[in-house]
Amino acid sequence: MSDKEYQPKSKAGKWFNDRLPLLTLGAHLTDYPTPKNLNYWWTFGGILTFCLLTQIITGIVLAMHYVAHADLAFASVEHIMRDVNYGWLIRYIHSNGASMFFLAVYIHIFRSLFYGSYKSPREVIWIIGLLIYLLMMAAAFMGYVLPWGQMSFWGATVITNLFSAIPLVGDSITTWLWGAYSVDNPTLNRFFSLHYLIPFLILGLVVLHIWALHVPGNNNPVGIDIKKPSKDTVPFHPYITIKDTFALLMFMIIFAGFVFFSPNVLGHSDNYIPANPLVTPAHIVPEWYLLPFYAILRSVPDKLGGVILMFGAIFILFVLPWLDTSKVRSAVFRPIYRQFYWIFVVDVLLLGYMGAMPAEGIYLVLARVGTIYYFLHFLVVLPVVGLLEKTDPIPLSISEPVLSGGAKLSMAKKDNEKF
Amino acid sequence: MRSFSLKKLPVLFFIFFLIINHSFGSEQTKPIKVDWSFKGLTGKFDRASLQRGFQVYKEVCSSCHSMQYLSYRNLGEPGGPEFSKEEVKAIAASIEIEDGPDSQGEMFTRPGRPSDKFKSPYPNVNASIAANGGAYPPDMSVLVKARPGGSDYIYSVLVGYEDPPEGVILDDGVYYNKYMIGNKIKMSSPLMDGIIEYSDGTEASVDQMAKDVTTFLSWAAEPELEERHKTGFKVMVYLILLTVLVYLSMKRIWSRVDSEE
Amino acid sequence: MSQKEKKTNRRDFLYTASYTVGAVGLGAVIWPLIDQMNPDKAQKALATTEVDITNIEPGKEITVLWRGKPVFLKRRTPEEIAEARSVKMDDLPDPQRDEERVKEGKDEWLVMLGVCTHLGCVPLKNKGDYKGWFCPCHGSHYDVSGRIRKGPAPKNMEIPKFEFVDNNTIKIG
C-alpha cells in the first residue's frame, strides 16, 4: 500500500471506507508506482486480463445455448452458429479468443524469461502464473472437447489416456475420468462442468498474481530494484493505463482479424466432422499452443517416459527461479544468457513445428534433439551460465547516471525513448 | 535492448504463421485454386450461382447427402441464395415431411414448411451406409469447413475423376479421384454435362455445376460469411480510429514524463 | 505436578481424537463426491454384445462397438495364422504366443479391442510394417495377431472376454 494513508474526500466515502476500505484499494491501484521504463512487452498483463474476461463473458453466453450431450452437442454448436442472434460472432470470439489468450500468455512468459522477472523477490508471482497457465491448458483442452467433433473426441481420448501410463492405478484413473469405459457422454458432461468452473479459479489466481506483484512492485527492462515512489516511477494511472489501452487495441485489431476474416484458420477442419468412436482421424494434432509439449511426448519411444517428460517440461518451470544461479535479472546485461535465450526460443518454436508434423523420420530426430535441448537449457545452461558469466555493468537507477560503464547509460536512456 | 525489441515482433508472427500454415498442409495433389467471389476481406456470394448451386444439390446430391443443419427458410435469408418468400414456400412444399404423432398417436406426412429442416435422404447413418455399399455419404451442412482446402478441395474432387493410373487396382464400386484424400472414392462422378437443366438458362457444364454447388455448399457451411465480412470491416475501421486517438492521448500524457529528463 | 501432566495428556488425547474423528467424517463425505465420477450403473449394465459372424469371409474383418470402444473381429487366413505363429518371442516387446490370444479350435478368429495401447486411438487395418494394424496417432505397428512390434505402445492390443455362443455368434463381455 502507498505510504500516504488515503482519505476519501466525501463524508459518505469516508463512512464506507472505514467499514470496507475499497476506496483505499482503488487509490492504491491508481497511484501504484510503476517503473517508467516499462516497454511494450509489459503490456501483456493487461491484455491477458482482457482475454480472461472476454472468455468468461462469451463463455457464459455460449453456455446459454450449448447442450452438453454427446447426441446434441455438435448440433447445438451449429444452432449457435446459424440461429442464435450474433451466435457466430460470440462463438468465433470464444474459439479464437482461446488462441489469442495463449499467444498473449506465451509472450508474457517469454518476457519474464528474458528480463528475469521470475527471480527473487518475485518467485511467488512466477509460480502463481504457472498455475494459471496450467489451468488455462486444462480449460482450453476441455473447451476443445465440447463441440464433440472428431478432434474433440480423439484429443480427449489421447489426453485422458496419458493417465493410463501411471503404473498400477492408471487404468482405474482413466475410467474414473471418463465415467465410462471410453470417452463418452459422461466425459463430455463433466468436461463442460469443469470448463465452466476453471476460468473462475483462474480469476481468483489472477487476483493473487497481481497482489503478489504489488508487494515487491514491477520488475523493469533494466532489472534493477528501484525506490518507490521516486523519479524512476510513474503512477499507474494514467501513464500505464493509457499505454496498456493502446497495446490492447493493437492486440484487438489482430484478434478481430482472425474473428472476422479467418475464423477457422487456427482450428482443425476435422472438428467439423461429428465425433465417431470407430474412426481415428489420420492426423491427431492438438491446438497449436500445446504442440511443443506434444512433440516432447511423442519424442520418447516409451509410453510412461513420454508422459513423464511432457509433464516434466512444464513442472521444471516451477523450479526455474532456483535453477537460474545469476543474480542479475535482465538479459540486457547478460551477454551469454542472451544468446542462449534466443536459442531456447528457437528450440521451443522448433518443438512446436515438430508437434504438428508426423512423428517419423527426420521430424522425430529433430523433435528428440529439441526435447533434449529443452531440458539442457534449464538443467545445465541456466545454472552454469549464471555461475560463469561476466555480466555487463548495471546502472544504479533508471534515470540517474551510472557509476561505471557509460555505454550502458545511453542504453538505459534509449529504453526511455521508446515511449 | 539490442536483442529484444518490437522489431522482432513481425518475425515472431511470421514464424508463428508458418507453423500454423504448415500444420494444415496436406500430402495430396494440391486442390485447384479457384478465384471464388466470396474469398477475400470483402467477399460476397454470387446470388445466381447460389441459386443454381441449390438446384444442383436438390437434383443431384440430395439423393444421398443430407444437410441436416439447414432449414428451408435459410434459402430466403439475407446473405444466402435469397430466394423470394414464395419461392422458399414452394421449395419447402414440394418435400414430404414426416410429422407427428397426431391425436391418434400416428405419424403422418405433410408438405414441408419453410421452418422445417432439410429432409435427409436416409432415416439414420446406418441406413445410409447400408444403401451405399459401406461408405457413408457425409452430411453436407459443414462439409466445406470439415475438409482441409475447403471450397477449392470440394470443387477439385467434383472435377477430379480420372481413369486410375497404371498399377492402381480399384475394388468394385470404388473410383479414382486425383484430389480425394487417398485417391479412392466410393462416390461415382456425380456430375455429367447436361445432367440438369438450369432454370436461368446457364449451360450446365460439369465445371459450371461444380462451381455452383461448391458455392452453395460454402454458403451452407458459413451462412454468416457476408455479415461477418461487413461487420468485420466496420469493427476494423472503428478499432483503427480508436487506436489512433488513444495513441495521440498516450503521447500527450507521457510527454509530461519525457520532458523531465 | 502429576495432576497437571494428567490434564495435559487428557487434553492432547481429546484433540487427537477430534482430529481423527473429524478426518474420518471428511473422508466419508469426500468419497461419494469422488466415486460419482466412476462409471454409473447404466454404464456397467452395457456389459455384453452379441455379434453374428456368418458373413465374414476369411481375410476380412469387421468392427463392432462394445462399451463405446471398437472391437475388431478378424477371420484370419491359414497363411496369416502361420505367420503369427512363426514369430520369435524375442522379437516381441510384450511376449505372448498367438495361441494365447485366440480360442482353441477357433484359431482363425481374432477378437480384440481395436484400441491402441499407447493413447487409445483406433489402429488402421492392413497397414504398417507387420501386415497387421498401424496406429496413425503416434506410429505403433501391430502384427497379424494384434501384438505390438514397433512404436510407443507398451502392450499388445487387449483381448476382451468373449465366447462362442454357437458357430455363428460371438458374445463379447
Side-chain angles (χ1 to χ4, degrees):
Chain A
M1 297 280 146
S2 57
D3 301 321
K4 291 164 289 177
E5 199 50 53
Y6 169 78
Q7 282 296 336
K9 289 193 184 73
S10 74
K11 239 184 166 175
K14 193 173 174 325
W15 178 89
F16 180 80
N17 202 48
D18 287 345
R19 282 151 185 83
L20 179 68
L22 267 188
L23 297 172
T24 306
L25 178 66
H28 161 75
L29 292 175
T30 319
D31 300 339
Y32 172 66
T34 318
K36 65 179 183 182
N37 64 337
L38 295 188
N39 56 34
Y40 281 106
W41 299 110
W42 259 266
T43 59
F44 282 87
I47 287 170
L48 283 162
T49 314
F50 164 81
C51 288
L52 177 61
L53 294 179
T54 305
Q55 291 307 86
I56 287 179
I57 292 166
T58 52
I60 288 172
V61 176
L62 287 172
M64 295 178 185
H65 305 281
Y66 170 78
V67 184
H69 188 283
D71 297 338
L72 302 171
F74 192 88
S76 76
V77 171
E78 279 308 310
H79 164 67
I80 290 169
M81 293 299 290
R82 289 161 194 275
D83 296 334
V84 175
N85 302 324
Y86 294 102
W88 60 269
L89 176 63
I90 296 161
R91 171 165 179 254
Y92 276 153
I93 291 177
H94 197 72
S95 60
N96 285 288
S99 280
M100 297 309 287
F101 204 159
F102 274 94
L103 176 65
V105 91
Y106 280 123
I107 296 176
H108 195 60
I109 291 172
F110 275 97
R111 188 269 290 155
S112 178
L113 291 177
F114 188 81
Y115 293 110
S117 302
Y118 51 85
K119 290 184 198 183
S120 171
R122 297 184 182 81
E123 301 96 322
V124 173
I125 312 175
W126 171 253
I127 288 168
I128 294 172
L130 287 174
L131 291 174
I132 294 173
Y133 174 53
L134 277 178
L135 284 179
M136 274 175 66
M137 289 201 275
F141 157 64
M142 292 186 199
Y144 198 55
V145 175
L146 301 186
W148 211 237
Q150 272 291 66
M151 277 294 157
S152 302
F153 183 89
W154 291 102
T157 300
V158 166
I159 302 290
T160 49
N161 259 304
L162 293 177
F163 293 93
S164 70
I166 302 169
L168 302 176
V169 290
D171 286 331
S172 315
I173 290 180
T174 314
T175 308
W176 177 73
L177 285 172
W178 288 337
Y181 300 99
S182 62
V183 172
D184 210 335
N185 190 50
T187 326
L188 174 63
N189 241 299
R190 63 192 53 182
F191 277 16
F192 178 56
S193 170
L194 296 174
H195 181 71
Y196 206 124
L197 163 73
I198 289 174
F200 296 97
L201 298 182
I202 294 179
L203 194 62
L205 283 174
V206 166
V207 171
L208 294 183
H209 193 62
I210 295 173
W211 186 2
L213 169 71
H214 281 231
V215 175
N218 285 72
N219 183 27
N220 65 80
V222 183
I224 54 172
D225 292 325
I226 48 173
K227 274 201 238 79
K228 287 161 299 188
S230 74
K231 263 184 85 177
D232 286 346
T233 66
V234 289
F236 192 78
H237 183 74
Y239 294 97
I240 303 300
T241 43
I242 189 78
K243 204 168 138 193
D244 278 359
T245 308
F246 172 64
L248 175 62
L249 283 165
M250 300 284 280
F251 183 79
M252 284 167 80
I253 289 175
I254 300 171
F255 193 163
F258 279 117
V259 168
F260 291 103
F261 300 109
S262 205
N264 289 307
V265 73
L266 297 169
H268 197 292
S269 49
D270 276 357
N271 223 26
Y272 282 106
I273 303 172
N276 179 356
L278 290 177
V279 181
T280 311
H283 262 286
I284 293 207
V285 205
E287 293 285 79
W288 67 266
Y289 37 81
L290 303 175
L291 286 175
F293 300 110
Y294 194 59
I296 292 176
L297 169 77
R298 296 194 307 181
S299 69
V300 189
D302 177 71
K303 182 175 174 181
L304 182 59
V307 173
I308 288 175
L309 227 55
M310 186 184 73
F311 283 109
I314 299 167
F315 286 106
I316 202 167
L317 295 168
F318 281 87
V319 289
L320 169 64
W322 297 275
L323 288 173
D324 187 346
T325 49
S326 174
K327 291 277 172 283
V328 177
R329 290 195 194 99
S330 175
V332 171
F333 306 103
R334 301 185 59 191
I336 310 290
Y337 170 72
R338 204 161 56 217
Q339 316 291 332
F340 281 109
Y341 172 85
W342 286 110
I343 296 174
F344 180 68
V345 171
V346 170
D347 184 55
V348 172
L349 290 173
L350 174 92
L351 280 173
Y353 185 75
M354 293 312 142
M357 294 290 106
E360 56 200 26
I362 181 73
Y363 298 128
L364 192 55
V365 176
L366 282 173
R368 284 180 181 157
V369 173
T371 302
I372 292 168
Y373 186 78
Y374 182 96
F375 286 96
L376 275 184
H377 177 82
F378 290 107
L379 295 173
V380 178
V381 172
L382 282 181
V384 173
V385 168
L387 292 176
L388 300 181
E389 184 179 42
K390 189 179 174 300
T391 54
D392 294 338
I394 297 162
L396 288 179
S397 86
I398 293 169
S399 49
E400 282 156 39
V402 257
L403 283 182
S404 56
K408 293 298 163 230
L409 171 67
S410 61
M411 226 172 67
K413 269 227 163 125
K414 223 171 98 196
D415 276 348
N416 293 336
E417 280 161 19
K418 282 221 143 107
F419 306 129
Chain B
M1 294 313 304
R2 278 183 305 236
S3 44
F4 203 57
S5 70
L6 276 180
K7 275 180 224 143
K8 287 253 161 62
L9 197 59
V11 179
L12 282 175
F13 263 102
F14 181 70
I15 297 170
F16 171 69
F17 279 107
L18 263 189
I19 290 174
I20 47 176
N21 267 335
H22 212 100
S23 47
F24 301 109
S26 81
E27 308 121 37
Q28 310 300 313
T29 314
K30 286 261 178 266
I32 305 161
K33 283 249 176 286
V34 181
D35 191 18
W36 302 107
S37 68
F38 49 88
K39 290 277 129 105
L41 302 186
T42 54
K44 281 192 176 76
F45 292 111
D46 175 347
R47 263 346 122 215
S49 180
L50 278 179
Q51 298 202 351
R52 287 195 301 269
F54 172 67
Q55 199 185 338
V56 178
Y57 168 73
K58 196 180 156 199
E59 293 179 21
V60 182
C61 322
S62 70
S63 54
C64 300
H65 290 273
S66 60
M67 273 184 117
Q68 51 176 323
Y69 300 119
L70 272 83
S71 306
Y72 295 110
R73 64 183 159 79
N74 296 140
L75 296 169
E77 285 167 4
E82 297 186 2
F83 285 107
S84 70
K85 247 189 178 158
E86 289 68 39
E87 285 171 316
V88 173
K89 266 193 182 156
I91 290 168
S94 69
I95 313 274
E96 287 280 292
I97 300 281
E98 190 180 44
D99 202 348
D102 62 13
S103 52
Q104 302 303 310
E106 303 293 327
M107 301 304 279
F108 60 93
T109 57
R110 56 161 175 80
R113 302 184 195 118
S115 58
D116 285 320
K117 296 263 185 212
F118 276 28
K119 191 186 179 184
S120 299
Y122 302 103
N124 51 55
V125 172
N126 285 1
S128 79
I129 293 175
N132 287 284
Y136 157 57
D139 184 85
M140 281 184 160
S141 317
V142 283
L143 192 66
V144 169
K145 286 201 279 190
R147 295 290 180 276
S151 315
D152 287 344
Y153 172 77
I154 302 290
Y155 167 78
S156 304
V157 167
L158 285 173
V159 299
Y161 284 87
E162 277 179 3
D163 290 329
E166 277 194 35
V168 175
I169 300 150
L170 298 172
D171 289 343
D172 238 16
V174 178
Y175 305 88
Y176 186 83
N177 190 304
K178 204 161 98 180
Y179 300 101
M180 179 75 187
I181 296 165
N183 294 129
K184 286 176 188 168
I185 186 166
K186 279 251 185 177
M187 171 174 76
S188 62
S189 178
L191 301 175
M192 274 174 290
D193 285 335
I195 191 175
I196 61 170
E197 201 169 309
Y198 276 134
S199 47
D200 67 354
T202 309
E203 197 196 325
S205 65
V206 167
D207 188 68
Q208 184 65 43
M209 287 186 287
K211 279 203 173 113
D212 289 341
V213 79
T214 305
T215 305
F216 175 71
L217 293 178
S218 305
W219 164 76
E222 299 190 287
E224 86 296 344
L225 180 133
E226 290 191 10
E227 192 190 352
R228 176 154 62 73
H229 284 174
K230 258 186 269 172
T231 316
F233 183 74
K234 288 181 211 155
V235 168
M236 282 297 180
V237 169
Y238 167 80
L239 278 178
I240 290 169
L241 182 74
L242 186 60
T243 309
V244 170
L245 287 175
V246 168
Y247 177 75
L248 295 174
S249 309
M250 180 178 72
K251 282 282 161 200
R252 186 75 175 261
I253 289 169
W254 277 86
S255 67
R256 286 179 248 164
V257 178
D258 294 340
S259 63
E260 279 171 26
E261 310 229 339
Chain C
M1 209 50 196
S2 69
Q3 196 76 345
K4 203 180 171 189
E5 239 167 51
K6 237 184 214 163
K7 244 184 192 163
T8 326
N9 278 341
R10 195 182 299 156
R11 208 161 52 203
D12 283 352
F13 170 74
L14 264 177
Y15 290 165
T16 314
S18 306
Y19 284 137
T20 316
V21 176
V24 169
L26 196 63
V29 171
I30 287 174
W31 176 245
L33 294 175
I34 292 176
D35 190 43
Q36 54 83 22
M37 279 177 68
N38 274 316
D40 58 35
K41 294 188 184 80
Q43 290 280 345
K44 286 180 189 155
L46 297 170
T48 60
T49 302
E50 290 200 3
V51 191
D52 178 22
I53 52 169
T54 328
N55 296 324
I56 308 173
E57 310 269 325
K60 295 280 178 198
E61 76 171 83
I62 62 163
T63 306
V64 295
L65 209 58
W66 174 64
R67 285 179 155 187
K69 286 178 180 168
V71 174
F72 294 160
L73 285 98
K74 187 177 170 78
R75 185 171 183 181
R76 301 182 297 176
T77 58
E79 298 84 57
E80 285 173 327
I81 299 172
E83 180 175 330
R85 301 198 167 168
S86 67
V87 179
K88 278 194 248 111
M89 285 298 117
D90 295 348
D91 295 343
L92 296 173
D94 179 17
Q96 197 179 20
R97 289 186 313 129
D98 184 60
E99 287 85 341
E100 299 168 38
R101 296 177 60 78
V102 292
K103 292 266 185 280
E104 220 181 313
K106 300 274 187 188
D107 294 1
E108 56 178 357
W109 291 103
L110 180 64
V111 179
M112 66 181 176
L113 282 185
V115 173
C116 180
T117 55
H118 183 227
L119 295 172
C121 297
V122 179
L124 306 169
K125 61 182 169 185
N126 299 327
K127 284 240 170 80
D129 298 352
Y130 298 89
K131 296 178 195 161
W133 290 264
F134 171 73
C135 181
C137 290
H138 306 96
S140 293
H141 300 255
Y142 295 89
D143 66 13
V144 77
S145 183
R147 293 171 296 196
I148 179 66
R149 301 298 290 273
K150 203 168 95 181
K155 280 185 255 160
N156 304 332
M157 277 194 265
E158 194 183 330
I159 306 290
K161 210 179 125 215
F162 74 97
E163 61 189 59
F164 286 84
V165 179
D166 53 53
N167 272 338
N168 293 327
T169 315
I170 290 178
K171 190 175 100 182
I172 305 165

